[in-house]
Amino acid sequence: RSFARSVLGFLGFIFWGTAVAQMFGGVSVILMFKNYRYLFQEPYLSLPGWLALVTALALLPTGVLAASISVKCSRNQQGTFMYLLLLLLCLEMSSAALARSYCVRTAAQLESAISYLVHQHNWTCSQDPGNSAVDVIQRKLHCCGVHNYTDWLKASSLCHPTCVPESCCKEKHSLCTGDLGHVEQLSEEGCLKKLKDQLCFSMLYIFWSCTVLSILELLAAVSNGILMRRQPFRELHIL
């Protein structure tokens, strides 16, 4: 019993720490889909992020109960703790499954979505770069085109284009105008790879954090069960 109490006390502090980690993952997913909403039309894709935020909020009272039970066993607290663990397990399994599924699904749709934006772009060599969706992506991710800057040459309506949009320019080259005569001033990487990396990192972060947290919660449930086993069944009527 003393070992079970020690485990619960330790897990109580761990739950507070993982609440911050879950909140970070949830906010990053929500902001990512908000910033690139022109690529992801389905509003439900940010659902794993919202579930992660709900999980983070539920972890706070769970951590308090774990720490409290480790000091003084209370039948009501132990029963409530079990209910919270069950709720958290449901939330985390749902969040992990959705994150894993959406990572594969959205990554497969990205290439066609970015290619469409490039071809629909109001292609110009103007000194003033446009504020279209693809310009915003290229500035934020420091990328150019789908795979590289040559995608702009294929998408251009000009017979012999001499430049690409200024949003392809590297930040350190303030005088860059997208001139193809100075390719070294343009971002080398395409936007597809960077977007896929950012998407899968955010989704897999939630997937693995939920998986690890579920294991810790099962350990907490076992520890709490050991403490509850010593009490007469009639005293655990709250369950």
Side-chain angles (χ1 to χ4, degrees), residues 20-61:
V20 177
Q22 284 286 94
M23 193 169 295
F24 169 78
V27 170
S28 65
V29 168
I30 293 170
L31 289 179
M32 181 188 64
F33 284 108
K34 181 180 179 181
N35 292 335
Y36 305 120
R37 56 189 176 277
Y38 22 76
L39 292 175
F40 309 103
Q41 300 299 324
E42 299 87 348
Y44 60 81
L45 290 176
S46 60
L47 184 57
W50 289 108
L51 287 176
L53 287 182
V54 175
T55 300
L57 293 176
L59 278 169
L60 297 177

Side-chain angles (χ1 to χ4, degrees), residues 15-196:
F15 287 157
W16 292 335
T18 52
V20 177
Q22 284 286 94
M23 193 169 295
F24 169 78
V27 170
S28 65
V29 168
I30 293 170
L31 289 179
M32 181 188 64
F33 284 108
K34 181 180 179 181
N35 292 335
Y36 305 120
R37 56 189 176 277
Y38 22 76
L39 292 175
F40 309 103
Q41 300 299 324
E42 299 87 348
Y44 60 81
L45 290 176
S46 60
L47 184 57
W50 289 108
L51 287 176
L53 287 182
V54 175
T55 300
L57 293 176
L59 278 169
L60 297 177
T62 305
V64 172
L65 285 174
S68 178
I69 293 170
S70 68
V71 176
K72 181 181 179 181
C73 289
S74 167
R75 294 187 295 276
N76 291 339
Q77 287 182 350
Q78 288 175 316
T80 305
F81 183 65
M82 282 297 198
Y83 283 125
L84 282 175
L85 289 178
L86 180 60
L87 173 64
L88 284 169
L89 282 171
C90 292
L91 286 172
E92 286 150 13
M93 290 298 98
S94 300
S95 183
L98 289 174
R100 185 65 180 176
S101 173
Y102 289 173
C103 176
V104 176
R105 177 180 174 181
T106 53
Q109 298 175 347
L110 273 178
E111 183 168 6
S112 60
I114 299 175
S115 298
Y116 175 79
L117 288 179
V118 169
H119 283 82
Q120 292 297 315
H121 181 69
N122 184 16
W123 208 96
T124 177
C125 291
S126 170
Q127 293 291 329
D128 182 24
N131 291 317
S132 67
V134 70
D135 282 321
V136 173
I137 293 174
Q138 290 185 151
R139 287 195 202 96
K140 283 184 177 180
L141 298 181
H142 308 293
C143 57
C144 187
V146 182
H147 301 285
N148 52 51
Y149 74 92
T150 59
D151 294 310
W152 283 107
L153 308 185
K154 301 172 186 176
S156 173
S157 58
L158 303 176
C159 295
H160 300 287
T162 59
C163 65
V164 295
E166 290 183 22
S167 55
C168 284
C169 294
K170 296 178 181 177
E171 286 186 343
K172 63 181 181 180
H173 297 291
S174 57
L175 299 179
C176 174
T177 60
D179 189 353
L180 290 175
H182 301 281
V183 179
E184 71 281 356
Q185 298 180 353
L186 307 177
S187 299
E188 294 89 359
E189 286 190 79
C191 298
L192 178 61
K193 182 181 182 301
K194 288 199 170 185
L195 271 172
K196 278 186 176 180

Side-chain angles (χ1 to χ4, degrees), residues 205-220:
Y205 177 92
I206 287 184
F207 174 81
W208 285 112
S209 63
C210 286
T211 302
V212 172
L213 189 53
S214 297
I215 296 172
L216 295 177
E217 286 162 3
L218 289 175
L219 180 60

Side-chain angles (χ1 to χ4, degrees), residues 75-83 224-225 228 233-239:
R75 294 187 295 276
N76 291 339
Q77 287 182 350
Q78 288 175 316
T80 305
F81 183 65
M82 282 297 198
Y83 283 125
N224 192 40
M228 295 172 71
F233 180 76
R234 66 177 180 276
E235 296 183 359
L236 301 174
H237 58 277
I238 189 175
L239 293 177

